[in-house]
Amino acid sequence: MSTLSIKHLVKEYVPGKPVLKDISLDIEGRGITAIIGPSGTGKSTLIRCINRLINPTSGEMIFEGQDLAKLSGQPLREARRRIGMVFQEYNLVERLTVMENVLSGRLGYMGAWDAWRRNFKDSDIQKAFALLTRVGLADFANRRADELSGGQRQRVGIARAVMQSPGLLLADEPTSSLDPKTSVEIMEVMRDLAAENDIPVMINIHQVDLGKRYAQRVIGMSGGLVVYDGAPSGMDDEILKKIYGGESWLAT
Amino acid sequence: MNTASVTRDTFFAPTLGKRIAMIGVLVYVVYAAATLGLSLERVEKGIGYGARFLAGFFPPSFTETDILPGLLESLQIAFLSSLFGTVLAVPIAVLAARNLMPTWVTWIARLIIIFCRSFHPVIIAIIAVKAVGFGAAAGIIALTFASVGFVGKLLSEAIEEISLKQIEAVRATGASFMNVIAFGVIPQVMNRFIGFVAYETDSNLRNSTMVGVVGAGGIGGTLFSAFQRFDYSFVAGIIICIIALVMIGEVLQIYVKRVFR
């Protein structure tokens, strides 16, 4: 059974003008699935529909036996706990410490009274510290998140997502605000942590080369539709022209 | 339009509207002063009275024993009303924040805040004295109302300015609404909130010396009766004590802010 099964997903921000036109996808097992496509084609919308930061107009998204599209309230929050998310601009809570940011991955499992008093379980704190050590930021545990550089912040963002013990990791252009070297480092951290914890990853990415390098599967989107779905090696210039349009931008 | 034809008036020409507004303000000032009988002669006479009145302040007298109890009562009124006001204001401010709540909820909360801010504390104190009788309870009620209005308005505005990206990330972890408040909203507004509460306590301290004038407890009552006895040297003593109290409050406020930040 696949991890996530999307069927006929449609999202219209303005009625009659769909951004996502009938997307059907199955994400199976583990590994990285990269979604590429021009800006404004609905990649972010697709990712955000899955954990319902955006509500889809119609369609199904079956995850762990439930249709995510139909959930609300408590069941939706419980489903969100199992879906980690990494953001383009890291979205750390800047005035909290690095440790608090990583531990906020456990908020879905805690009552308000415990959360307000920072009454985290020792096992959670140990796991958070192990994750921070793993991403090389153990020394920064007590620093405020806004003291960190972009690459460091994204590592914290990844640790926070993994802290949720998710069954699926979503990443919305996690490297778009980073320099090329840091981007590669972040992709490696994400790939390794996902592999170690057995989490399949869905990632939106602008850098086609990075996507091809780290993904086992590439999905090309254009105009709200899937126009390519296959191995990274199958992405030739013809396919890229189909996805992005034109050809003058392709290196000769 | 070529470069040579561009002059100062191209960009900074005074508009007719601005000129009319300025003349209008000038005319109103003259009209208001004239109808209230604010002539030079009147001002001269007033300064004469004022000088005699101020001369009555010396030497200030601290001998009466009711300064200290009055001051302590004012302090208690200020502290309790700030505490009650803040505790009530926080949930109202969250409910009034348009980025967290549905519109109809924010309107109810906003109406409460507007209501609390509509009246000067002294007016609420007059009503409270009628309702619960003379004494500190009326003062606490009056200043609590004012605190809810002040902290509620500023805090709800602070919440409306927070970064929604950080909120989005906390929501994405499956956190409940209260947990989003604890980890997404509060860290972003805490610093400003402490500033609001410190300022509010400071302003309640000043106002608590005044509500006594209408019988709502504190040093104000003592001050008012001293005025009515024309006991100006005692008035001066009370005023000096109030200044000292407010200054001590100022120093304490700096210290408390440093501890919490």
Side-chain angles (χ1 to χ4, degrees), chain B residues 105-118:
Chain B
V105 177
T106 69
W107 271 110
I108 295 172
R110 255 150 218 284
L111 279 176
I112 295 172
I113 291 172
I114 290 168
F115 177 77
C116 290
R117 285 171 52 79
S118 301

Side-chain angles (χ1 to χ4, degrees), chain A residues 36 43 47 57 97 103 112 115 135 141 159 171 181 216 220 224 241:
Chain A
I36 62 166
K43 302 190 302 294
I47 289 276
T57 307
T97 64
L103 282 168
V135 299
K181 176 167 169 279
Q216 284 75 55
K241 266 191 256 174

Side-chain angles (χ1 to χ4, degrees), chain A residues 6-249:
Chain A
I6 300 174
K7 290 184 189 121
H8 306 297
L9 188 70
V10 175
K11 172 62 186 177
E12 297 172 344
Y13 290 103
V14 182
K17 289 185 179 169
V19 175
L20 297 178
K21 307 168 184 166
D22 195 16
I23 303 278
S24 292
L25 280 177
D26 278 314
I27 305 293
E28 325 204 0
R30 60 177 88 166
I32 296 181
T33 303
I35 303 168
I36 62 166
S39 303
T41 197
K43 302 190 302 294
S44 266
T45 302
L46 173 61
I47 289 276
R48 274 150 206 268
C49 276
I50 294 170
N51 65 356
R52 293 282 301 281
L53 291 177
I54 290 173
N55 289 324
T57 307
S58 66
E60 284 183 358
M61 298 174 294
I62 309 294
F63 175 71
E64 298 188 334
Q66 297 185 92
D67 182 0
L68 294 171
K70 291 200 173 61
L71 298 180
S72 64
Q74 182 70 23
L76 173 61
R77 290 197 293 273
E78 283 173 13
R80 274 186 184 146
R81 306 193 299 208
R82 298 278 300 149
I83 305 173
M85 182 141 176
V86 177
F87 297 84
Q88 177 181 347
E89 288 173 45
Y90 334 120
N91 295 19
L92 302 183
V93 181
E94 300 196 342
R95 288 179 178 276
L96 291 183
T97 64
V98 167
M99 191 65 177
E100 282 173 310
N101 268 288
V102 176
L103 282 168
S104 65
R106 299 308 294 175
L107 285 178
Y109 299 89
M110 294 172 77
W113 181 233
D114 282 334
W116 282 65
R117 291 180 303 139
R118 307 293 193 261
N119 189 19
F120 292 98
K121 280 191 252 162
D122 283 341
S123 58
D124 286 344
I125 289 175
Q126 283 150 11
K127 183 177 176 188
F129 193 73
L131 275 169
L132 277 178
T133 310
R134 177 70 186 73
V135 299
L137 291 173
D139 292 344
F140 293 80
N142 275 323
R143 301 279 280 277
R144 243 169 61 168
D146 55 5
E147 294 173 27
L148 270 53
S149 71
Q152 289 170 332
R153 289 184 199 203
Q154 195 59 293
R155 287 164 191 268
V156 176
I158 295 168
R160 171 175 66 187
V162 174
M163 193 68 203
Q164 287 173 235
S165 311
L168 175 67
L169 186 61
L170 305 173
D172 189 17
E173 301 190 13
T175 60
S176 293
S177 304
L178 300 170
D179 66 64
K181 176 167 169 279
T182 311
S183 295
V184 168
E185 286 166 10
I186 288 297
M187 287 303 292
E188 294 193 337
V189 167
M190 200 147 50
R191 177 193 63 192
D192 296 347
L193 274 181
E196 288 161 23
N197 295 280
D198 247 345
I199 311 166
V201 181
M202 256 180 106
I203 177 171
N204 279 345
I205 195 154
H206 269 309
Q207 298 99 319
V208 177
D209 53 330
L210 269 188
K212 284 169 83 169
R213 184 162 153 196
Y214 289 99
Q216 284 75 55
R217 176 183 174 193
V218 176
I219 291 167
M221 276 178 70
S222 186
L225 291 166
V226 173
V227 295
Y228 176 83
D229 186 350
S233 54
M235 297 280 300
D236 53 24
D237 283 1
E238 280 309 304
I239 302 285
L240 287 173
K241 266 191 256 174
K242 202 163 133 195
I243 294 170
Y244 290 98
E247 54 187 299
S248 53
W249 58 276

Side-chain angles (χ1 to χ4, degrees), chain B residues 63-78:
Chain B
T63 48
E64 331 303 285
T65 47
D66 31 353
I67 290 187
L68 192 63
L71 269 186
L72 287 180
E73 193 173 60
S74 278
L75 192 68
Q76 289 161 336
I77 292 173

Side-chain angles (χ1 to χ4, degrees), chain B residues 51-66:
Chain B
R52 244 180 298 149
F53 167 67
L54 283 178
F57 274 23
F58 292 97
S61 126
F62 300 96
T63 48
E64 331 303 285
T65 47
D66 31 353

Side-chain angles (χ1 to χ4, degrees), chain B residues 5 28 40 42 72 74 76 79 91 97 112-113 125 131 143 152 162 172 176 179 192 205 215 219 222 228 252 258:
Chain B
S5 74
Y28 183 73
L40 266 180
R42 170 73 188 81
L72 287 180
S74 278
Q76 289 161 336
F79 183 78
I112 295 172
I113 291 172
L143 295 182
I162 62 176
S176 63
N179 287 3
R192 293 178 68 186
L205 193 58
I219 190 75
T222 322
Q228 293 199 311
L252 274 179
R258 199 179 301 154

